[in-house]
Amino acid sequence: MTTQLADAQFTKKLFDTYDSYKFNEISSRRFKHAELMTHLDSLKKSLGGLITIEQIGGSGENRSINLLTLGTGKTKVFLWSQMHGDEPTATMGLLDILNYVAQNKNSAEVKKILSETTLLIIPMLNPDGAERFQRRSSHGIDINRDALRLQTSEARILKSTRDKYNPEIGFNLHDQDPRYTVGESGNVAVISLLAPAYNVEKTDNAVRTRAKKVASELTLVLNQFANGHIAKYDDAFEPRAFGDNIQKWGTSTVLIESGGWKDDPEKMFIRKLNCVGLLSVFHSIATRAYEKSGTAPYDNLPMNTKNLYDIIVEKVTLKFPDGRASIIADVAINKEEVRDSTGTWWKGRVVDLGDLSVFGAHEKISGEGKTLDATSFELGDMLKVDDVRILLK
Ligand SMILES: [Zn+2]
């Protein structure tokens, strides 16, 4: 067993030259189905005969759901993104991948990937959710809890596509709250990985073990660029979820959760990690090098842990003009995205006060020697994020 990356050079090249093939037409997360279709159209032209795009059904509101097929190899690799409409990071990474293939058709790595694997890609499985930038479908259903009842057309499309092709390997592409850390490290989890359990006992079989090897290879790739920022997602069995069931139905499945990164609200660095990570692993699947990874790099990942705030003002003196004694406290603030007629912007909400020394933060502001008028906000208050700096005296 090795814990070395099989093709570190290819991975490094993908990372270092990313700006030359990044799909620049998308630069923010709130793109919708119509834009995606326009982009797929232009990528189809640049990919020539290397891609087929087939409408395989419609969403609840009848937006098209499409299957992209690249390659002619015997190892089928299935990817689906944005089952949750407000989780678009991987969809952007997939467009980058298509652009990379278009620009590097004749490279040895692309030829190897396309001759050994068949990539089956459903980008934006939940276009109605994407339209509203919400998690759930237009029927208000969480598609990721509909794998058994199959009441949504989106869920039926996902299951029937898996059943039709019976792919060897699958990637279930999501975004998570950017406030998770890697174990107790205080490091933000930029990406969390999971080889989902297929039963309550969380036992291993050949299918899940292969998923763990793929996840291990991905861990080794991501460690090159974000070492200490990769976590393992909770592996409790969820009988209604797709990842767990697709594992059970025989496709070795890896969940990729795009998390958070400092000063990256649009998740552009995480999009890059999705692109570089997946392309590297496609190559490793094509050469079957990942089979030598073993499962240790994945097994040893610390758990995804929720103990991060956006901002903590540390040890500030809270003053109470009504006569209560001053106290020293840490103040935690989370940013919330607000959309209104003026556009999209961020507000902060004070979410905790007191000794917060066990928590991490994307930004820590020293409050030592400074005071904050405790009547200027209440716990749970919304305030413009920068206000906290203005309020500090
Ligand atoms: Zn999700």
Side-chain angles (χ1 to χ4, degrees):
M1 294 298 174
T2 169
T3 52
Q4 295 298 307
L5 188 55
D7 194 348
Q9 267 188 329
F10 178 50
T11 295
K12 187 174 184 308
K13 184 174 73 180
L14 290 171
F15 189 86
D16 291 345
T17 63
Y18 176 74
D19 287 343
S20 71
Y21 63 86
K22 178 185 179 190
F23 189 74
N24 284 314
E25 286 79 353
I26 285 192
S27 57
S28 97
R29 293 176 303 146
R30 289 178 177 273
F31 58 90
K32 296 178 178 178
H33 178 259
E35 289 163 71
L36 177 68
M37 295 315 293
T38 304
H39 296 321
L40 288 178
D41 229 33
S42 79
L43 284 163
K44 185 173 193 273
K45 288 191 186 86
S46 49
L47 281 157
L50 291 180
I51 191 170
T52 61
I53 301 179
E54 176 197 358
Q55 181 174 347
I56 49 173
S59 64
E61 291 176 334
N62 215 24
R63 292 186 176 87
S64 70
I65 295 173
N66 297 277
L67 179 67
L68 284 42
T69 307
L70 293 101
T72 54
K74 66 178 186 311
T75 305
K76 296 190 185 83
V77 181
F78 184 30
L79 304 99
W80 58 99
S81 75
Q82 225 170 333
M83 167 194 294
H84 295 135
D86 56 354
E87 299 180 6
T89 304
T91 306
M92 297 189 287
L94 291 170
L95 294 175
D96 295 336
I97 288 172
L98 296 178
N99 210 33
Y100 179 84
V101 172
Q103 289 185 13
N104 296 276
K105 295 182 182 89
N106 296 315
S107 73
E109 292 91 354
V110 167
K111 282 184 165 174
K112 184 75 181 170
I113 291 169
L114 297 184
S115 63
E116 296 295 329
T117 73
T118 300
L119 303 176
L120 302 156
I121 304 172
I122 302 178
M124 197 185 274
L125 180 66
N126 178 6
D128 301 346
E131 205 70 14
R132 299 163 172 82
F133 208 67
Q134 70 178 24
R135 177 182 179 86
R136 290 171 182 255
S137 76
S138 61
H139 285 90
I141 297 294
D142 182 344
I143 297 163
N144 209 24
R145 298 292 178 268
D146 195 29
L148 299 182
R149 290 196 180 169
L150 298 171
Q151 287 302 294
T152 60
S153 59
E154 296 88 347
R156 288 193 294 275
I157 288 165
L158 182 57
K159 178 160 192 329
S160 64
T161 306
R162 197 228 70 89
D163 291 350
K164 178 175 175 184
Y165 295 96
N166 195 23
E168 191 174 317
I169 294 167
F171 291 96
N172 185 16
L173 305 171
H174 290 254
D175 281 80
Q176 69 175 9
D177 187 325
R179 300 183 193 98
Y180 279 87
T181 58
V182 177
E184 305 299 326
S185 70
N187 287 353
V188 60
V190 68
I191 282 186
S192 292
L193 299 173
L194 176 68
Y198 63 91
N199 60 9
V200 181
E201 297 76 21
K202 303 195 280 191
T203 48
D204 285 333
N205 60 5
V207 173
R208 190 177 186 213
T209 299
R210 183 165 54 204
K212 288 184 174 182
K213 288 183 174 182
V214 173
S216 288
E217 186 71 1
L218 198 46
T219 302
L220 295 175
V221 170
L222 297 172
N223 277 345
Q224 310 291 306
F225 315 110
N227 198 17
H229 290 273
I230 314 302
K232 191 197 295 173
Y233 198 83
D234 177 18
D235 72 345
F237 179 64
E238 167 49 72
R240 306 164 298 165
F242 266 102
D244 310 53
N245 280 291
I246 290 182
Q247 196 88 281
K248 187 170 159 181
W249 298 330
T251 294
S252 297
T253 302
V254 174
L255 168 73
I256 301 179
E257 292 274 358
S258 292
W261 195 248
K262 187 172 167 16
D263 298 328
D264 188 20
E266 291 297 322
K267 298 202 179 192
M268 289 297 144
F269 177 66
I270 313 174
R271 155 192 184 171
K272 177 177 176 177
L273 291 183
N274 271 266
C275 168
V276 171
L278 285 168
L279 270 170
S280 296
V281 171
F282 294 163
H283 189 245
S284 185
I285 291 168
T287 62
R288 305 206 82 87
Y290 81 92
E291 292 175 349
K292 300 187 194 79
S293 289
T295 63
Y298 167 77
D299 288 334
N300 295 335
L301 284 173
M303 291 305 291
N304 202 36
T305 307
K306 185 132 193 206
N307 69 350
L308 196 67
Y309 294 110
D310 288 338
I311 298 173
I312 293 180
V313 184
E314 296 180 301
K315 293 184 180 168
V316 67
T317 301
L318 286 182
K319 291 188 117 176
F320 297 82
D322 62 4
R324 280 174 288 167
S326 295
I327 58 166
I328 289 176
D330 306 321
V331 179
I333 296 162
N334 280 343
K335 297 179 190 178
E336 295 178 9
E337 211 172 354
V338 179
R339 285 199 101 192
D340 63 16
S341 54
T342 66
T344 303
W345 47 288
W346 298 89
K347 265 186 176 175
R349 188 186 288 281
V350 177
V351 287
D352 204 356
L353 287 175
D355 178 355
L356 307 179
S357 55
V358 299
F359 297 107
H362 287 293
E363 183 179 3
K364 289 194 171 180
I365 300 171
S366 172
E368 278 188 88
K370 294 186 174 162
T371 61
L372 203 53
D373 179 349
T375 59
S376 61
F377 63 88
E378 296 267 349
L379 195 60
D381 256 10
M382 295 286 266
L383 71 165
K384 280 202 169 173
V385 171
D386 284 343
D387 283 358
V388 72
R389 293 180 187 81
I390 296 164
L391 295 171
L392 284 173
K393 302 288 183 211

